[in-house]
Amino acid sequence: MAESGRALPRAFFDRDVLEVAPDLVHRVFAVADGRAGRIVEVEAYRGADDPAAHSFRGRTARNATMFGPPGHLYVYLSYGLHWCCNATCGNGTGVLIRAVRPLAGIGKMREARGRPRREADLANGPGKVGQAFGIDRGHDGEDLVAGERVAILDDGHHDARPLLVTPRIGISKAADFPWRWVAAPH
């Protein structure tokens, strides 16, 4: 995965989730088999301060990764159908990776997703990200800093255009919090 950039250090994730989330936009989400893509949409979930967070009511077997050290992958099954990926920031907080623009391993992503016609549709939703990158419950707890199977990388890319900031989508609690960040259209 080093060819896509360098892994973000633990200190990057060990900050307030509302700082980490927008800083993840434009970073590279990568898995060991060569699939990689630029993160273009994220949402922050702020633990005990956020009724929409899985960790709002405390630690459970399902969300235990969110309460571990920052910089790990928290994976959960959404609606019994889709595996979703979150970068943990410690203390029950995390950043949902909502959308990724494919950069490498596009053929593998197409196979995993059932060959969508448009490349832009391969990972343009949180469940699609999990499917396109082959993420499942077995990836829960993966160390994003060590980057053995999954990593978030800095490849030096910079986009000076401001991020779009909106309320989170697809939730019913705390839906008005402006904790969703989206990259300017490519």
Side-chain angles (χ1 to χ4, degrees):
M1 285 186 275
E3 66 276 1
S4 299
R6 64 175 175 75
L8 297 173
R10 184 100 37 226
F12 176 92
F13 299 99
D14 193 11
R15 301 180 290 147
D16 187 301
V17 70
L18 298 180
E19 295 174 14
V20 174
D23 286 351
L24 281 176
V25 177
H26 301 300
R27 307 298 178 153
V28 176
F29 184 75
V31 294
D33 71 1
R35 288 179 268 190
R38 187 151 327 277
I39 299 170
V40 293
E41 182 181 347
V42 298
E43 288 180 347
Y45 288 87
R46 208 167 190 202
D49 297 332
D50 182 359
H54 289 176
S55 53
F56 179 67
R57 290 193 170 87
R59 184 182 178 133
T60 66
R62 177 187 185 207
N63 69 20
T65 299
M66 292 188 77
F67 290 91
H72 286 76
L73 190 69
Y74 166 54
V75 178
Y76 69 92
L77 190 61
S78 177
Y79 301 109
L81 299 170
H82 308 288
W83 294 105
C84 296
C85 308
N86 297 260
T88 66
C89 300
N91 298 315
T93 66
V95 180
L96 173 64
I97 300 170
R98 286 198 56 85
V100 173
R101 184 171 41 86
L103 296 172
I106 294 168
K108 291 177 184 174
M109 288 185 203
R110 284 189 190 283
E111 287 177 25
R113 289 271 302 116
R115 302 190 185 277
R117 291 180 193 243
R118 295 179 340 127
E119 192 174 291
D121 295 334
L122 288 172
N124 63 341
K128 293 178 183 181
V129 171
Q131 189 177 21
F133 284 84
I135 301 294
D136 61 25
R137 185 67 176 172
H139 292 90
D140 184 54
E142 283 293 319
D143 188 342
L144 297 169
V145 176
E148 292 177 13
R149 291 182 25 180
V150 184
I152 297 179
L153 309 169
D154 181 356
D155 68 347
H157 175 82
H158 178 71
D159 188 328
R161 296 176 295 172
L163 301 178
L164 176 66
V165 180
T166 76
R168 297 175 296 185
I169 58 177
I171 58 174
S172 58
K173 297 175 184 169
D176 58 333
F177 292 9
W179 292 351
R180 174 177 171 248
W181 291 266
V182 182
H186 183 68

